[in-house]
Amino acid sequence: LKGSHFCPAAMATPEKKLVVLVANCNVKKLDLKAYGVSKARCQVVIKVGDQQYKTSIGLGLDPTWEETFEFPITDDNVKCSALLYMGPGETETSDCPIKIGDEQTYLLPSLVTAKPTFKGLIVPGGKVDMFFTAYGFGKEDVPEDNTAFLDLMDDEGGMIMDDSDEEK
């Protein structure tokens, strides 16, 4: 992992936390001039309740971050959202100033406990790929029932044939 960011409060309440992995971004179809973006620099902001984290500045229209952020969760229905910003800052390390697209919100109770769930931030000209993992909250993972395929087998392990297929 390139970077990990942990909220100190998350260490105090390890029973409930949200881990967000911001993987990459692809906005190659974005019309930079239409948004007033003179330099292709990208930054993602993740907000959970009153806390927020920002990725490092990604250069180009398809940066890869692989940055992990941890948020303590006290209420399963807390607002969780993400935004994409682009453009040149005052310095090479300052934040990107231009918001691209709308803030997208995510429902935390729909996450499966301890299982990374893909979440996309859809923006004009592309998307940001992220993975959300709930620890100590969310839905329990229900194993898929894949025994139905055995219904096609007879008692001896062979395939059941339709009577019309048999020779008379």
Side-chain angles (χ1 to χ4, degrees):
L1 297 177
K2 283 187 177 179
S4 293
H5 303 276
F6 304 99
C7 176
M11 301 304 175
T13 57
E15 56 275 346
K16 283 186 167 186
K17 68 180 176 180
L18 172 67
V19 177
V20 178
L21 169 67
V22 180
N24 56 46
C25 172
N26 185 329
V27 289
K28 289 182 179 179
K29 294 181 179 180
L30 178 70
D31 182 0
L32 296 178
K33 289 181 184 177
Y35 286 88
V37 176
S38 61
K39 191 170 185 179
R41 296 170 69 236
C42 302
Q43 185 174 40
V44 177
V45 176
I46 306 291
K47 298 178 183 179
V48 176
D50 59 353
Q51 300 175 61
Q52 78 172 20
Y53 285 115
K54 298 176 182 179
T55 62
S56 58
I57 304 295
L59 301 178
L61 297 174
D62 60 347
T64 298
W65 288 285
E66 298 293 332
E67 292 182 13
T68 303
F69 304 95
E70 280 191 20
F71 297 91
I73 300 297
T74 55
D75 176 12
D76 296 1
N77 295 310
V78 67
K79 182 179 178 183
C80 175
S81 63
L83 294 147
L84 175 67
Y85 288 88
M86 291 184 72
E90 294 176 15
T91 67
E92 284 300 313
T93 57
S94 62
D95 292 342
C96 298
I98 302 169
K99 184 174 85 161
I100 305 296
D102 296 325
E103 181 174 12
Q104 249 177 331
T105 58
Y106 304 94
L107 298 174
L108 297 185
S110 67
L111 296 175
V112 177
T113 303
K115 182 177 182 181
T117 304
F118 174 80
K119 297 290 181 182
L121 170 59
I122 306 302
V123 296
K127 67 182 174 75
V128 176
D129 294 336
M130 302 178 288
F131 294 90
F132 286 33
T133 307
Y135 291 100
F137 71 99
K139 298 186 295 187
E140 292 298 318
D141 193 12
V142 179
E144 289 184 29
D145 181 17
N146 56 6
T147 58
F149 81 94
L150 294 176
D151 292 344
L152 298 175
M153 307 297 254
D154 64 14
D155 292 337
E156 298 170 3
M159 294 293 290
I160 297 174
M161 302 290 288
D162 189 359
D163 289 340
S164 64
D165 292 341
E166 294 180 14
E167 292 183 26
K168 296 187 182 189

